[in-house]
Amino acid sequence: MSPTAAAKPRAKPGDALAAKLVRLGIFRDEDLVLHLPLRYEDHTHLAALRDVRPGDTAQAEGMIVRTDIQYRPRRQLVCLIEDDAPRGARSQLVLRFFSFYPSHQKALAQGNRVRVFGEVRDGHFGLEIVHPQFKVVTGDTPLPDRLTPVYPTTAGLSQDTLRRVIARAIAVDPARTAEVITGDFMRRRHYWTFADAVRFLHTPPPGLSRPAQNALDARTHPAWTRLKFDELLAQQLSLKAHRKARAARRAPVLTGTGKLSGELLARVPFKLTAAQERVWSEIRRDLKRATPMQRLLQGDVGSGKTIVAALAALQAIESGRQVAFMAPTEILAEQHFRKLSIWLAGLGTDIVWLSGSLPAKIRRKATERMASGEAPFAVGTHALFQEGVELPRLGLAIIDEQHRFGVAQRLALRGKGMAEAHQLMMSATPIPRTLAMTFYADLDVSVLDEMPPGRTPVQTRIVNQKRRREIVQWIGKVCAQGRQAYWVCPLIEESEKLELQTAVALHAELTAAYAGSLKVGLIHGRMKPDEKAQTMDAFLRGEINVLVATTVIEVGVDVANASIMVIEHAERFGLAQMHQLRGRVGRGSVESVCVLLFEEPLTDTAKQRLKVVYENNDGFEIARQDLQIRGPGEFLGARQSGVPLLRFADLERDVALIEQARDMADELLAKDPGAAHAHLERWLGGREEYIKA
Ligand code: ADP
Ligand code: MG
């Protein structure tokens, strides 16, 4: 025990409860009001034991005729109950508990009458319920007259306790359910009052019709609509607050001279596409402003984001500022480093490299040059925003594949004085419209909607594993004619080690298959950075014909001559991943092919994903369908500011509400900012980190 522990005041009895509530995001009594049910259970009537069927969720009552602990196949408490029919005609039900306490055993003693609730299934000894809710009753214990709410909860916090504290929080202070937005804002839009909606959801009135119950479950009931609207309104208001706060911050004005960027444009072997010109001018304009840019550059794989980022970097450097360019993986960061080094060679702009795996001495040198301001351009992984790295003259931070950075990394970034720097984020994952209106609404977005010329669309083939040999032969043939191929190993999420073994085995298999004719290389996440770099170099120079890779090559890697991509066990990959992998090829002028090898049996989702990738080449369309298959959660990994997640509203289904909330937020801020503030306080007041951002 630490010496200070004794000095602490004794815990108050409420503290344990308060700690559990905090785990649910409930910091204040007011937050209890907004802790809404997940769903409802109907405890209003009893089913006769003889009527219950497997698959029913039923409530029934009976006398306990036997309770014992059984040990096979594992320790469990088994309890048999029986109805009141005449002897010989009685129906029975087994209750089974795999985890239980002595208190269970005591309550479930023979001769007690219990009321149980749960899903009935067919057991070895007739009908049973596993882990039913139960309570000991007498023959005339009344049934509830209304639906029973079921709340999100946490370990050690019972539904009964939650119901009690919520009911009390509502009853104690009418201000907690009062309308904070007065006037006719809500009425004009025909929403329920907040008080009515909250009461209805926590304690639905007795005797609800079937349709009303269904609407409650589906969250389409007007009571839900009001709460969802309020939630979306709070989100819109907080986004607008972010924007305003950002507008009040000062950032260095990066006017540039056009010298370095002009030279870069003159030396790259291509002309910017119209789309690149457009986004570059948007960024150029932002950088000249005294408020920090927060712009997302969105463009499909291969659309040419890097050159735009490089131009932005040079404008900052021309203005005497430092630039940090970060990528989420070492291999991708290194590719940027090398490409930028080539592009900028001889322009007098030093680039320093920083990654976690750098030897201490070299690292120290790099960080010293950054700290002294001597190095204007730092490229690397998230090592760039770790402890001990300082960029005192930082003017611009560029974050590639920003959605792949974790929350903690993004928070670290915020602390790095980045709040005062301009930020350019890049992503190949397009944001679906509803997310653009909500979680991303505080960012400015530039879209590269045009591919550089000379690309040929990638042909996608879906091939059964059974025909693998044909693929091996075909690749052998075309690579002997000078083409190059990636062969991506299956994703094994549970085990990096297994993934590695698979890669090694595949490498051995292909080496044997192409013995004497082709060189097969191997690249994986466990390799040292310089080994990886050497392998990538050899592939780039054409010394390796077929490159076996784990998913390390997923993002951004660019080898123009590689025109074949084989994805093994494609059924294990997500849509966006497959699309990104496919985007590694099709960068040169030869017709490229992406082979999706799959193994049966396929789940419905896997089938659907393969079909979507097969039918679409457009990243935006794929992202849209991805959202439909998976829901928006994954895209949100992306958010770099502390915008609150939605608990009640659904981004796919509540589009109309999102639009209304957006309009109302504008109206409210213009006409009644006090009410806007009170509304934010109600919804987010307890969650400071959300508002601060
Ligand atoms: P991504 O948007 O996926 O990051 P990159 O920036 O890696 O794409 O660009 C893909 C390839 O296209 C690179 O080899 C890049 O040099 C090249 N490229 C970029 N812009 C053009 C252009 N306007 N014309 C021709 N090639 C271009
Ligand atoms: Mg890229």
Side-chain angles (χ1 to χ4, degrees):
M1 204 190 258
S2 75
T4 55
K8 276 192 193 149
R10 276 246 313 278
K12 280 181 274 151
D15 285 357
L17 175 62
K20 285 173 196 159
L21 291 174
V22 164
R23 260 187 269 152
L24 295 174
I26 299 169
F27 300 89
R28 316 165 297 177
D29 284 354
E30 292 92 306
D31 298 335
L32 283 164
V33 177
L34 293 173
H35 194 67
L36 297 174
L38 275 178
R39 58 190 173 85
Y40 298 87
E41 284 174 355
D42 188 353
H43 294 195
T44 61
H45 52 261
L46 284 175
L49 276 188
R50 65 173 182 284
D51 292 337
V52 302
R53 298 285 169 266
D56 290 354
T57 296
Q59 179 172 248
E61 257 181 45
M63 297 296 291
I64 298 174
V65 287
R66 203 181 65 220
T67 293
D68 45 33
I69 296 177
Q70 294 176 5
Y71 291 90
R72 249 167 262 259
R74 52 188 263 225
R75 188 166 177 271
Q76 52 187 281
L77 185 69
V78 181
C79 172
L80 184 69
I81 67 170
E82 209 169 65
D83 63 13
D84 309 324
R87 202 174 275 281
R90 289 185 185 164
S91 303
Q92 296 184 321
L93 179 67
V94 173
L95 314 178
R96 202 179 287 283
F97 299 86
F98 294 103
S99 69
F100 56 94
Y101 296 101
S103 60
H104 279 82
Q105 251 174 297
K106 210 162 134 203
L108 294 169
Q110 187 184 345
N112 277 354
R113 186 178 181 84
V114 284
R115 184 177 290 167
V116 301
F117 182 93
E119 194 185 323
V120 180
R121 61 175 210 186
D122 238 335
H124 275 311
F125 305 100
L127 295 179
E128 65 176 30
I129 303 182
V130 176
H131 285 244
Q133 300 171 33
F134 70 91
K135 84 178 188 203
V136 179
V137 291
T138 60
D140 51 10
T141 305
L143 287 165
D145 62 353
R146 56 187 74 208
L147 295 178
T148 306
V150 179
Y151 293 98
T153 190
T154 180
L157 184 58
S158 74
Q159 290 291 331
D160 279 343
T161 306
L162 262 177
R163 277 174 213 138
R164 208 182 57 239
V165 294
I166 290 170
R168 197 176 51 209
I170 293 174
V172 156
D173 185 357
R176 287 179 189 156
T177 50
E179 211 62 82
V180 293
I181 300 173
T182 49
D184 67 344
F185 291 104
M186 291 289 174
R187 219 172 319 127
R188 196 154 31 89
R189 291 168 167 93
H190 306 291
Y191 289 118
W192 276 32
T193 67
F194 184 67
D196 285 349
V198 164
R199 288 229 176 75
F200 193 95
L201 295 175
H202 286 296
T203 43
L208 275 191
S209 68
R210 227 325 98 202
Q213 282 192 36
N214 291 344
L216 204 53
D217 285 334
R219 300 195 170 184
T220 53
H221 193 280
W224 272 122
T225 307
R226 169 62 203 256
L227 268 294
K228 292 201 274 193
F229 176 78
D230 273 22
E231 177 178 52
L232 289 165
L233 178 62
Q235 189 196 40
Q236 291 294 331
L237 289 170
S238 106
L239 283 164
K240 288 181 201 290
H242 275 165
R243 229 177 217 285
K244 219 173 132 206
R246 165 149 64 99
R249 292 204 311 257
R250 301 280 95 185
V253 175
L254 307 176
T255 318
T257 58
K259 185 170 176 299
L260 294 171
S261 50
E263 282 192 50
L264 172 61
L265 280 177
R267 61 164 61 181
V268 290
F270 51 77
K271 237 176 93 256
L272 294 188
T273 63
Q276 283 169 321
E277 289 283 7
R278 192 190 63 240
V279 302
W280 164 223
S281 74
E282 287 165 357
I283 294 166
R284 195 165 46 199
R285 191 196 54 210
D286 281 3
L287 293 177
K288 291 179 183 168
R289 295 207 172 122
T291 52
M293 168 173 83
Q294 267 193 39
R295 189 171 282 277
L296 180 68
L297 172 56
Q298 208 176 279
D300 208 349
V301 194
S303 60
K305 297 186 283 295
T306 320
I307 182 75
V308 176
L311 290 167
L314 291 179
Q315 178 161 330
I317 293 166
E318 287 165 8
S319 316
R321 287 289 179 158
Q322 288 177 302
V323 176
F325 191 154
M326 280 162 284
T329 63
E330 182 135 358
I331 192 159
L332 182 57
E334 199 169 311
Q335 220 202 7
H336 285 323
F337 176 67
R338 283 193 285 154
K339 186 150 221 167
L340 291 165
S341 301
I342 294 167
W343 278 350
L344 304 189
L347 292 188
T349 302
D350 258 4
I351 311 187
V352 282
W353 165 249
L354 195 75
S355 82
S357 60
L358 225 50
K361 222 170 113 188
I362 300 181
R363 181 192 161 90
R364 190 159 358 99
K365 218 178 213 162
T367 54
E368 274 167 19
R369 293 181 57 219
M370 290 182 209
S372 70
E374 185 191 332
F377 201 174
V379 179
T381 60
H382 60 271
L384 274 179
F385 45 91
Q386 270 160 5
E387 284 298 312
V389 181
E390 271 171 71
L391 291 156
R393 297 191 53 76
L394 186 68
L396 170 67
I398 301 170
I399 306 161
D400 196 14
E401 308 284 347
Q402 63 99 22
H403 58 282
R404 315 235 325 173
F405 282 99
V407 174
Q409 291 167 339
R410 284 195 299 269
L411 287 178
L413 185 76
R414 232 194 272 160
K416 274 274 163 213
M418 299 257 180
E420 286 77 45
H422 297 278
Q423 272 189 40
L424 177 64
M425 291 151 272
M426 300 196 280
S427 177
T429 308
I431 307 170
R433 195 174 77 94
T434 48
L435 286 181
M437 283 195 294
T438 53
F439 293 94
Y440 286 84
D442 62 332
L443 295 185
D444 296 307
V445 181
S446 292
V447 182
L448 279 179
D449 51 7
E450 180 188 355
M451 284 289 177
R455 301 284 164 85
T456 42
V458 182
Q459 298 269 341
T460 303
R461 309 259 161 76
I462 302 185
V463 179
N464 195 316
Q465 239 341 308
K466 289 179 195 147
R467 292 179 46 209
R468 195 158 182 279
R469 274 194 39 184
E470 290 168 46
I471 299 297
V472 173
Q473 277 167 9
W474 173 71
I475 285 183
K477 202 174 92 202
V478 295
C479 286
Q481 293 160 3
R483 295 173 70 171
Q484 284 177 287
Y486 293 103
W487 196 307
V488 177
C489 296
L491 179 73
I492 303 175
E493 269 174 359
E494 317 80 65
S495 160
E496 198 194 340
K497 196 169 150 216
L498 216 58
E499 193 163 298
L500 181 62
Q501 283 170 3
T502 320
V504 171
L506 178 62
H507 178 248
E509 177 199 334
L510 295 180
T511 304
Y514 302 137
S517 60
L518 297 179
K519 173 106 171 82
V520 182
L522 172 64
I523 189 162
H524 58 73
R526 287 283 184 87
M527 277 161 73
K528 293 223 181 70
D530 51 333
E531 288 177 310
K532 268 193 246 176
Q534 274 167 23
T535 308
M536 275 321 287
D537 266 348
F539 190 53
L540 203 56
R541 286 196 303 264
E543 288 158 19
I544 289 174
N545 309 92
V546 179
L547 183 61
V548 171
T550 54
T551 47
V552 292
I553 60 153
E554 184 186 334
V555 279
V557 175
D558 186 28
V559 179
N561 191 48
S563 61
I564 297 162
M565 167 69 64
V566 183
I567 305 179
E568 191 140 352
H569 279 291
E571 76 278 1
R572 293 187 197 164
F573 288 84
L575 263 181
Q577 263 178 322
M578 276 192 268
H579 178 63
Q580 294 229 329
L581 283 171
R582 180 172 59 183
R584 304 292 112 238
V585 295
R587 297 193 161 201
S589 47
V590 228
E591 169 135 303
S592 293
V593 181
C594 175
V595 179
L596 303 174
L597 275 176
F598 71 90
E599 185 156 285
E600 289 174 309
L602 287 179
T603 63
D604 283 345
T605 326
K607 238 180 248 169
Q608 220 179 332
R609 282 198 300 252
L610 289 173
K611 184 163 174 278
V612 171
V613 177
Y614 178 74
E615 288 175 351
N616 297 282
N617 252 315
D618 174 359
F620 282 75
E621 182 53 24
I622 290 178
R624 204 184 61 75
Q625 305 218 22
D626 204 11
L627 187 70
Q628 263 171 17
I629 299 176
R630 287 192 306 190
E634 300 273 333
F635 286 89
L636 296 179
R639 271 322 263 125
Q640 79 299 315
S641 70
V643 183
L645 292 178
L646 295 170
R647 290 183 286 164
F648 311 124
D650 179 302
L651 289 181
E652 278 297 278
R653 289 197 325 218
D654 297 322
V655 182
L657 278 182
I658 296 172
E659 280 164 355
Q660 289 172 27
R662 192 179 51 181
D663 294 348
M664 173 118 147
D666 288 332
E667 198 186 331
L668 209 53
L669 287 170
K671 295 188 186 152
D672 192 350
H677 184 266
H679 185 78
L680 264 178
E681 179 63 24
R682 164 171 283 170
W683 278 85
L684 305 170
R687 301 152 199 255
E688 275 178 57
E689 75 271 30
Y690 287 150
I691 325 192
K692 264 195 274 161

